[in-house]
Amino acid sequence: MNKRTFRMISAVFVVSCIHAQDADKLTITSPERDGVTANCSIKVQGRAVLKPGEHLWIFAARSNFADLGLVWLQGAVTPAPVSHEYSMPITLGIADDVGFDFRVSVAIVDDATHNKLQNKLVDMMTTNRHLPVPFPPTVSAPRHRTVKKVSHEGC
C-alpha cells in the first residue's frame, strides 16, 4: 500500500469515528421511530452526552414550518449525570393541528445560544406570544423524529 492510499484510508477511518462518536453523543429513544401517533403532547426521551458549556434543547414544529427551518421552543432539559438519559413532555401545537405531521427535534447548543433561547422562551411565556423561531446553530448534528398528531385530547 502506498502512502497516498494509506493517508486516504486513514482519513476515511477518522471521519467515520467522528461521525460514530457524534451519533452516540445524542439519541432519541422515544418516540422510537418516525410515524408514531400522538395526542397534544408526547414524551421525548433519549441520551445526550454533554461537555461543559453545552445544553440540550427540545423543539417541535408542524412539518410545513420545520421545512422552512422554523420551530417552537419546548425547553432545555438536563440529562441525568451518570446515565446521560433525558426525558421531557412536549406540546404539539393547537387543536387545529390535528392530522398534521410534527417534527420533534433535539439539539445540543453552546452557552451563548442557550442563553438566547432561554431569554426568548421566557419572553414568549410572559407575553403569551408563542411564535416560531429559526432553528438555532448547534454544536453537533441534531436528531429528529416525525410524529402524526391524531388528537388534541388531554390539553
Side-chain angles (χ1 to χ4, degrees):
M1 178 181 326
N2 65 32
K3 283 185 180 181
R4 184 171 185 216
T5 303
F6 178 76
R7 283 188 199 135
M8 194 175 331
I9 291 171
S10 297
V12 168
F13 176 75
V14 168
V15 168
S16 297
C17 288
I18 290 169
H19 284 292
Q21 288 173 345
D22 196 38
D24 291 341
K25 182 175 181 158
L26 180 60
T27 63
I28 298 174
T29 56
S30 181
E32 50 283 339
R33 59 180 164 59
D34 288 334
V36 170
T37 59
N39 293 326
C40 69
S41 67
I42 191 167
K43 188 180 285 189
V44 180
Q45 297 176 299
R47 190 169 181 276
V49 179
L50 305 179
K51 295 177 185 170
E54 293 181 340
H55 306 270
L56 181 62
W57 272 79
I58 301 179
F59 310 94
R62 227 169 60 182
S63 289
N64 58 328
F65 284 92
D67 291 344
L68 297 172
L70 299 171
V71 294
W72 272 261
L73 304 177
Q74 299 296 310
V77 59
T78 303
V82 176
S83 68
H84 304 286
E85 293 176 349
Y86 66 87
S87 179
M88 182 175 161
I90 65 165
T91 301
L92 300 174
I94 60 175
D96 289 344
D97 294 327
V98 171
F100 283 94
D101 287 336
F102 276 76
R103 185 179 304 153
V104 175
S105 303
V106 295
I108 299 172
V109 301
D110 63 19
D111 275 330
T113 303
H114 168 72
N115 291 333
K116 288 177 187 172
L117 294 172
Q118 196 79 345
N119 290 337
K120 187 68 174 170
L121 183 59
V122 168
D123 180 56
M124 287 180 189
M125 293 173 77
T126 57
T127 62
N128 201 25
R129 294 196 68 216
H130 298 272
L131 301 172
V133 298
F135 199 94
T138 62
V139 299
S140 62
R143 301 292 181 255
H144 310 281
R145 286 284 192 275
T146 299
V147 299
K148 183 162 204 77
K149 183 173 181 173
V150 295
S151 166
H152 198 65
E153 225 171 279
C155 283

